[in-house]
Amino acid sequence: MNLLMRQTLPLLELDILKTFVAIAETGNFTTAAETVHRTPSAVSMQIKKLEELLGCTLFRRDARSVVLTHHGEVLLSYARRLIALSNEAVSRFMMPEMNGVVRLGAPDDVGELILPEVLRRFADTYPSIAVNVSIETSGNLRRAVAERRLDLAIFNASDGTLPVPGEILLKEQLVWAGKNCGNAHLKNPLPVSVWEEGCIWRARALEELSRSGRDFRVAYFCAHHMGQRAAIRADLAVAPLARFLVGDDMVALGEKDGLPDLGHYLIGLVVSEEADTPALAVADYIRAAFARIERRPMDMLQVAC
């Protein structure tokens, strides 16, 4: 019975999913139509077809904006994954003999936890291509791509302020991370571990603490992700972290623990207009890697003791 049901399920079309993602990222049917090289009416028909296929509404529309519904947010994750995996599969067979050097930039946290998988998978397919990785702040990375010192870069950005040019790889929740069963979050003033000036996580955390009226002090300062994690694990301080970076020996803290909500942030990708074929292939592997990230729901995270 289950096998029969699986065989009769309708298939999602990649072209329609690309249109859906374009609308979700631009918040505008007309702009999305330009992105996918279709007319606005054709884009509207595609979304109508997709909504009829899935039996749900994907966007809330008003005179000024287009916003994803809950069903739309769920589909967006699948759509990005399907598109990225399709690109990765096609590039594996159509461009197997490439060689050269690709200059890639990434922030410290992404460089440590996500790039190893990207580089391993890429090297398995394209062993003749060397990838030179630069670890820098997001602002410096975007500047390096604009100045053509990098071919492409991953960067962090505040939610709703994705720099142009750029595309969204992941929208993730920013949380307070503390040692599991630790007590740093109970101290007054609150000891906080922060990155260097210019880090969007630092700016968001300090701004929200000031707005909430919570007394705090900068107890630990480090420009590297490993240093931040060390401060958390030693229970010296709490620090703002992406939810998917909270390890098993940490706990995600929030308003129930007396700490302000930090909202979401964006991980983006910018590719040079002059990027060659090897650089574009690396970009596809990066998209696929982010599509595979398992995002744990908040109720699956550990609870502070």
Side-chain angles (χ1 to χ4, degrees), residues 189-267:
L190 178 74
V192 179
S193 178
V194 295
W195 276 258
E196 60 190 339
E197 293 282 354
C199 171
I200 63 166
W201 296 0
R202 168 188 172 131
R204 177 81 60 80
L206 299 186
E207 178 183 338
E208 293 301 330
L209 283 173
S210 297
R211 181 180 290 119
S212 69
R214 177 69 187 266
D215 289 335
F216 68 91
R217 65 183 180 87
V218 175
Y220 194 86
F221 174 89
C222 183
H224 300 289
H225 178 69
M226 286 298 295
Q228 298 295 332
R229 295 173 74 89
I232 296 169
R233 287 168 171 153
D235 203 24
L236 296 176
V238 298
L241 277 186
R243 188 179 67 174
F244 76 92
L245 296 179
V246 177
D248 293 337
D249 54 351
M250 301 178 190
V251 61
L253 305 167
E255 292 178 299
K256 68 183 186 305
D257 306 293
L259 299 175
D261 178 57
L262 296 177
H264 294 76
Y265 81 104
L266 303 176
I267 299 178

